[in-house]
Amino acid sequence: MPVIQLTNQFIKGHLICPVDKSRIEFCDSTQPGLYIEVRRTTPKQGTFYLRYKNRFGKTSHQRLGLSTEVTLQQARSKARILRSEISSGNDPKIENPLLLRTVSSLHFINEKYLPHALQHKRSVKFDRSMCKLRIIPKFGHLALNQLTRQDIQLFHSDLSNEGLSPAYCDHHLKLIRHALNLAVDWELLEKNPAGRIQLFRVDNRVERLLSDRELNGLLHVLKTDDNRTVCSLVIFLLSTGARLNEALKAKWSHINQANKVWKIPARNSKSKRIRSVPLNASAIALLQQLSCNQSSEYLFVSSTTGDRLKYVHKTWDRLRKKAGLPKLRLHDCRHRFASSLVNNGFSLHSVMVILGHSSPVITNRYIHMSTKALQDAADSASLQLEKL
């Protein structure tokens, strides 16, 4: 927590949090107790606070306002007035009726957090499930200001003791942390008790790469099985590297066969951005077969209901067992597509763009999975040695 003389110039251009920290406090050497907090998630913006000791000798923090709403001069003026009131026995925390309200965790989750998540998160169903099954039964009877770091940390650990995977335990903690951050932003809570609890961060990624022999066996099943709709869907995934949800929601209006492009709308894309997927020969051939029986706006239609295909996992389980691949996931079709691109010499940038990854870090995993590309790179070094 560096102590400096805060200036308007510093606030205008230096409110940056170090990359190795989630937050930093810049304390004002001019006004005792005044500091501006900067979070890594909101660069070039900070929040003014006054730090003081309450009547019980405990350190308290009073929010004065955002740097985009309150000037440095106003923050210093507020800090001086508050320090004067505190010295006279008027604690702003006790006098603040908003913070005196005991909002229950149950009310906050159902009436505040979930309605907000419904508008801002695609995983709201997952959030609702975690809240209903575990978070509300554990904390719903408590007021928000009764939640403690120790209780949340024990809850996180107990989930692991129940046999839940580390990643699933971390999902619960991330949800609690995010929800309580919102409670702080909405001034329903002074500080997030889940802020510094460590995640398990266990790498649970499944690396299953189809061999050429396995792929041939799978394709034989997909080309001969009676369920043509699901088989066509899987071939489309193998041909495009698309995510299952993207393919299930694909419409004919998104397809430009002349230019060999499939434009995925932002609402269907995981990155929430429009992205264009190049269509190769196998994808075009499949689309031409599907278009012969076109009777819906969607590419893949249930033969039973006539509506958009939604449920495929039961049929997929039968198909993968028939191909002798009982552990193969539909998402592994995407891995196979990506590794094929890498093994054939395409750059990671090209792979990243085609797959719609938000960061090259995600794409880098395919270098590890694509042993042929690594072997070719190692062999090139050997050839150089042999020439010497």
Side-chain angles (χ1 to χ4, degrees):
M1 126 184 7
V3 178
I4 61 174
Q5 182 177 355
L6 292 178
T7 63
N8 290 325
Q9 182 179 4
F10 179 84
I11 292 172
K12 185 177 180 179
H14 296 83
L15 295 184
I16 302 296
C17 181
V19 294
D20 59 335
K21 295 182 179 180
S22 61
R23 57 182 292 276
I24 188 172
E25 296 175 3
F26 296 103
C27 302
D28 187 18
S29 60
T30 303
Q31 178 61 52
L34 177 66
Y35 69 91
I36 185 168
E37 179 194 65
V38 181
R39 294 181 179 270
R40 186 173 55 196
T41 54
T42 54
K44 299 183 180 180
Q45 175 182 301
T47 306
F48 288 108
Y49 285 92
L50 175 67
R51 182 186 288 108
Y52 67 95
K53 295 285 186 181
N54 63 20
R55 67 183 66 175
F56 305 106
K58 182 179 178 180
T59 300
S60 292
H61 306 260
Q62 177 62 34
R63 186 177 184 273
L64 303 177
L66 295 173
S67 61
T68 55
E69 302 170 348
V70 177
T71 66
L72 175 59
Q73 290 73 19
Q74 290 172 332
R76 283 175 174 158
S77 177
K78 282 187 176 184
R80 284 193 297 270
I81 294 172
L82 280 173
R83 286 185 66 86
S84 176
E85 292 177 352
I86 293 167
S87 63
S88 300
N90 298 322
D91 192 329
K93 292 297 183 188
I94 297 177
E95 299 300 325
N96 189 339
L98 183 61
L99 292 176
L100 273 177
R101 292 190 306 180
T102 55
V103 179
S104 73
S105 298
L106 177 62
H107 175 84
F108 172 74
I109 291 172
N110 288 332
E111 303 300 326
K112 301 290 184 181
Y113 173 71
L114 288 177
H116 173 83
L118 184 63
Q119 300 298 323
H120 295 86
K121 293 185 69 177
R122 295 190 176 188
S123 60
V124 65
K125 290 183 179 179
F126 188 37
D127 286 7
R128 188 180 289 114
S129 174
M130 287 189 287
C131 288
K132 180 180 179 180
L133 293 178
R134 293 182 176 85
I135 296 175
I136 289 178
K138 180 67 177 180
F139 300 114
H141 65 287
L142 297 174
L144 277 181
N145 57 11
Q146 291 179 314
L147 297 174
T148 66
R149 179 177 290 114
Q150 183 179 16
D151 288 340
I152 298 172
Q153 192 161 24
L154 286 174
F155 170 71
H156 185 224
S157 301
D158 288 342
L159 292 178
S160 178
N161 295 334
E162 288 180 24
L164 300 182
S165 69
Y168 197 44
C169 297
D170 283 349
H171 282 312
H172 285 76
L173 179 55
K174 289 175 183 177
L175 189 155
I176 293 173
R177 181 182 295 169
H178 175 60
L180 294 183
N181 275 336
L182 290 173
V184 173
D185 292 342
W186 296 335
E187 298 186 339
L188 297 173
L189 196 62
E190 178 185 350
K191 190 176 182 180
N192 187 347
R196 292 186 294 170
I197 300 176
Q198 296 295 314
L199 299 168
F200 291 132
R201 293 189 185 281
V202 174
D203 188 352
N204 66 336
R205 293 177 298 181
V206 178
E207 296 188 352
R208 176 68 170 86
L209 190 59
L210 275 171
S211 67
D212 291 342
R213 181 183 62 80
E214 290 172 331
L215 178 60
N216 288 333
L218 176 62
L219 287 174
H220 175 73
V221 170
L222 296 177
K223 291 178 180 179
T224 58
D225 192 84
D226 292 336
N227 193 320
R228 298 315 309 147
T229 303
V230 176
C231 288
S232 297
L233 170 69
V234 179
I235 294 173
F236 189 70
L237 296 178
L238 287 166
S239 302
T240 61
R243 299 179 179 91
L244 174 62
N245 193 53
E246 294 171 339
L248 289 175
K249 294 182 179 180
K251 296 182 178 181
W252 288 105
S253 58
H254 304 157
I255 303 292
N256 187 329
Q257 294 194 50
N259 293 328
K260 299 182 179 180
V261 173
W262 168 27
K263 183 169 288 187
I264 301 177
R267 63 181 178 275
N268 295 349
S269 173
K270 185 178 179 180
S271 64
K272 298 183 180 180
R273 296 178 181 177
I274 297 174
R275 72 183 186 94
S276 297
V277 178
L279 297 172
N280 54 27
S282 60
I284 291 293
L286 177 66
L287 290 173
Q288 290 174 346
Q289 293 177 14
L290 292 175
S291 63
C292 294
N293 300 315
Q294 181 179 348
S295 58
S296 169
E297 62 178 330
Y298 292 96
L299 267 62
F300 302 101
V301 181
S302 171
S303 58
T304 304
T305 65
D307 297 327
R308 176 175 73 85
L309 187 65
K310 296 179 181 179
Y311 309 106
V312 301
H313 291 288
K314 185 176 181 180
T315 302
W316 167 244
D317 188 51
R318 179 180 63 79
L319 292 172
R320 65 182 180 178
K321 288 178 180 177
K322 187 176 179 181
L325 302 167
K327 301 283 187 174
L328 187 68
R329 305 167 306 162
L330 281 170
H331 199 71
D332 293 326
C333 297
R334 182 171 167 86
H335 293 330
R336 169 69 195 198
F337 178 85
S339 62
S340 295
L341 295 182
V342 174
N343 280 335
N344 283 285
F346 291 95
S347 69
L348 282 183
H349 177 73
S350 298
V351 178
M352 182 183 76
V353 173
I354 292 175
L355 294 183
H357 286 159
S358 58
S359 167
V361 175
I362 303 172
T363 316
N364 279 338
R365 67 179 299 191
Y366 294 109
I367 283 290
H368 169 64
M369 294 177 66
S370 303
T371 54
K372 181 178 181 300
L374 295 177
Q375 186 63 52
D376 289 344
D379 289 344
S380 67
S382 176
L383 291 173
Q384 292 294 323
L385 292 175
E386 290 173 1
K387 291 178 180 179
L388 297 179

